[in-house]
Amino acid sequence: AAQPPGGAPAALPDGIAVCVRQRPVVPREQALLEAPHEFECTTVVPPATVAVHCERVSLGRVLEGAGGERLQTKKFAAHRCFAPGEGDAALYEAIGAPLVARVLAGGAATVIAYGQTGSGKTHTTQQLLDRVAAALLGGVRAGASLELSAFENLGDKCYDLLNERAELALREDADGAVHARGLSTTALASAADFERAVAWGAAQRAQAATTTNAQSSRSQRTTFGIESVQ
Ligand code: ADP
Ligand code: MG
């Protein structure tokens, strides 16, 4: 649904919600931006629109002597857009907290981060994961426990990040759900367990990134799963 610019963010829908985050300009880019005629090519219009600015050269205008370049802006609607100044805590409140509530009520939730290299997927998902794990650990029913798994897909291969990158066989069941056979899990009893496991998984991944070629890193995906068991 269309929302007035600057209005209060609507609650995310129960099904699939699409959110956009514009990360802050990093120091390396700050230097680039200081060059003449450079500008940030996206602007978040709160609460749910992102504007993308693109320089267009019009040959007609050049020939008329009117100057060739003009800025074209396209606006895209999402369910929620986060401006660079909105921190990780705000993102957790908007995206993480409702999903944690759903999971603690017995449901399931998935977060997928999509974007080009350097756009902030790892930063955002690690910040989210830390907060999600703490909230789940605090909210899980007595008698239940949490288990973490982590795996990486590289092309059509799958590796267990919590078991020395053992290769996992992918099998499709009768319902079309894909399972990684033999995927290991580790119990999550405390936030410290969780931090250790995520740091370990991330290190396993980083190590792989330097030893695989550019082709496979282009089709690379890391998945962390947390499941509640009785
Ligand atoms: P990706 O995983 O999409 O390749 P990263 O998460 O590694 O991207 O982010 C690229 C760089 O931008 C890193 O230096 C990271 O620290 C920084 N960065 C990303 N998102 C943010 C953010 N929300 N706030 C501050 N720095 C960020
Ligand atoms: Mg990354």
Side-chain angles (χ1 to χ4, degrees):
Q3 288 165 341
L12 295 180
D14 273 343
I16 295 174
V18 177
C19 300
V20 175
R21 182 179 213 188
Q22 180 179 357
R23 68 151 167 74
V25 170
V26 293
R28 181 180 58 81
E29 297 162 335
Q30 190 60 55
L32 295 173
L33 269 181
E34 280 156 16
H37 309 300
E38 292 300 331
F39 56 91
E40 280 191 61
C41 65
T42 48
T43 314
V44 165
V45 185
T49 303
V50 61
V52 178
H53 317 293
C54 178
E55 223 170 2
R56 285 290 150 93
V57 176
S58 157
L59 185 58
R61 283 170 56 88
V62 173
L63 293 176
E64 284 162 20
E69 287 139 26
R70 80 202 147 82
L71 205 59
Q72 192 177 64
T73 294
K74 286 187 177 164
K75 288 186 176 172
F76 299 90
H79 291 104
R80 179 83 155 76
C81 293
F82 297 88
E86 290 185 85
D88 297 311
L91 194 119
Y92 172 76
E93 284 312 315
I95 295 178
L99 298 183
V100 166
R102 187 182 306 175
V103 168
L104 290 175
T110 302
V111 176
I112 298 172
Y114 176 83
Q116 94 176 53
T117 299
S119 59
K121 301 179 296 295
T122 299
H123 174 96
T124 294
T125 47
Q126 278 178 356
Q127 294 289 320
L128 256 183
L129 262 176
D130 290 347
R131 289 174 166 84
V132 163
L136 286 175
L137 284 165
V140 75
R141 266 198 313 279
S145 61
L146 297 176
E147 284 190 342
L148 177 81
S149 60
F151 60 91
E152 177 178 50
N153 296 95
L154 274 174
D156 57 1
K157 302 247 189 270
C158 184
Y159 301 96
D160 192 340
L161 294 184
L162 299 182
N163 182 23
E164 298 177 345
R165 300 188 52 80
E167 190 174 342
L168 298 164
L170 295 175
R171 294 284 178 264
E172 193 172 335
D173 69 15
D175 298 327
V178 175
H179 301 275
R181 205 162 61 184
L183 177 66
S184 60
T185 58
T186 182
L188 286 183
S190 68
D193 281 356
F194 179 78
E195 273 164 37
R196 259 197 305 276
V198 168
W200 170 246
Q204 292 287 298
R205 212 206 109 186
Q207 192 184 331
T210 57
T211 55
T212 51
N213 64 31
Q215 177 60 42
S216 28
S217 64
R218 273 205 290 274
S219 53
Q220 177 264 2
R221 180 182 72 153
T222 312
T223 305
F224 286 95
I226 305 175
E227 193 166 356
S228 166
V229 290
Q230 297 302 312

